[in-house]
Amino acid sequence: MGPKCWFILTLLMFQGLFISHSQAQEDFDFFYLVLQWPGAYCDTKRSCCYPTAGKPAADFGIHGLWPNYKDGSYPSNCNPDSEFDKSQITDLVSRLKKTWPTLACPSNEGFKFWEHEWEKHGTCSESVMDQHEYFENSLKLRDRANLLEALTNSGIKPDDKFYDLEKIREAIKDAIGFTPGIECNKDPERNSQLHQIYICVDTSGTEFIECPILPRERCPSRLQFAKF
Ligand code: 5GP
Ligand code: 5GP
């Protein structure tokens, strides 16, 4: 190989290094924004506890913003050194209490739930957002999805009645533009209930996208929308 060839080869190698580095920013493929229906979380054998601030609004709350891979697997607990730090989100706490309420027992303010979600999922998205952005983006996305309005506009209300799974899916798709994943759980009488909605979000954590893969579904064709 002549010196000219070596020069070009070296140039290409450096370019390759640079490109792969600048593109390897995210170590996941997309996010699931997972929203939970409090009526279904509470109406199970395990039951629930209201947070110290009192009974949350009868509306979808955040479960988490979860980095995921296209094959359905996901990273978790990516950085034990990046501890949850309350002081970074003081300006968001009142909104978190309203729309990311904890329903686990014993009753608490919510920091335990937020800490768990940050440590398990948030630490896997640090290549694109810091702790404040992780919580702020989650709040913004949940408000934008406005699921309860999407459903009630289609006549689907949390009144303990049964609704078609496909009507629920369509109502959400019409409102946000993308097909959601729907997860059910069972009440003590073994009725399947609308429990969680999965909406896919791009790697920047700001835009809804079509899901690269939907979570496994176990909902029957008709399911209950529990009162709360
Ligand atoms: P479960 O077994 O109740 O479905 O899930 C338990 C926990 O595993 C969830 O709260 C969540 O932290 C994690 N998890 C379950 N499924 C998924 C998934 O599809 N993607 C991600 N990123 N996390 C998941
Ligand atoms: P994941 O299922 O995301 O891994 O973890 C859920 C964890 O957060 C569980 O340990 C659960 O006890 C706790 N947690 C606290 N509040 C809530 C809540 O309102 N909903 C759910 N799904 N989990 C909660």
Side-chain angles (χ1 to χ4, degrees), residues 15 27 32 43 98 101 115 122 131 140 142 149 159 162 164 171 179 185 193-194 216 218:
Q15 199 188 22
D27 17 40
Y32 282 128
D43 187 14
K98 281 200 196 100
E115 176 174 23
Q131 210 173 116
K140 281 189 189 156
R142 180 245 170 232
E149 195 181 282
D159 54 6
F162 285 75
D164 284 347
T179 305
N185 68 356
Q193 304 178 312
L194 177 59
R216 203 157 31 98
R218 272 156 295 187

Side-chain angles (χ1 to χ4, degrees), residues 47-164:
S47 89
C48 70
C49 292
Y50 295 154
T52 42
K55 184 178 176 179
D59 202 346
F60 286 88
I62 299 168
H63 181 163
L65 184 64
W66 302 347
N68 229 80
Y69 299 120
K70 279 190 278 201
D71 67 0
S73 66
Y74 56 90
S76 62
N77 298 94
C78 296
N79 184 3
D81 295 331
S82 176
E83 284 174 15
F84 176 71
D85 175 9
K86 276 182 188 187
S87 72
Q88 291 181 31
I89 53 164
T90 43
D91 61 320
L92 301 175
V93 168
S94 70
R95 285 165 71 199
L96 288 168
K97 284 184 177 172
K98 281 200 196 100
T99 58
W100 197 330
T102 181
L103 292 165
C105 298
S107 185
N108 67 95
E109 279 189 282
F111 289 103
K112 276 197 232 161
F113 189 21
W114 308 327
E115 176 174 23
H116 170 87
E117 293 299 312
W118 167 255
E119 287 175 356
K120 182 166 180 179
H121 301 284
T123 56
C124 300
S125 59
E126 281 183 293
S127 54
V128 289
M129 58 183 87
D130 62 20
Q131 210 173 116
H132 188 271
E133 288 165 330
Y134 177 78
F135 287 100
E136 190 175 36
N137 285 336
S138 304
L139 290 167
K140 281 189 189 156
L141 289 164
R142 180 245 170 232
D143 288 349
R144 200 181 323 146
N146 208 354
L147 289 186
L148 190 61
E149 195 181 282
L151 292 172
T152 49
N153 283 347
S154 298
I156 299 166
K157 292 168 282 196
D159 54 6
D160 276 349
K161 294 209 175 108
F162 285 75
Y163 295 92
D164 284 347

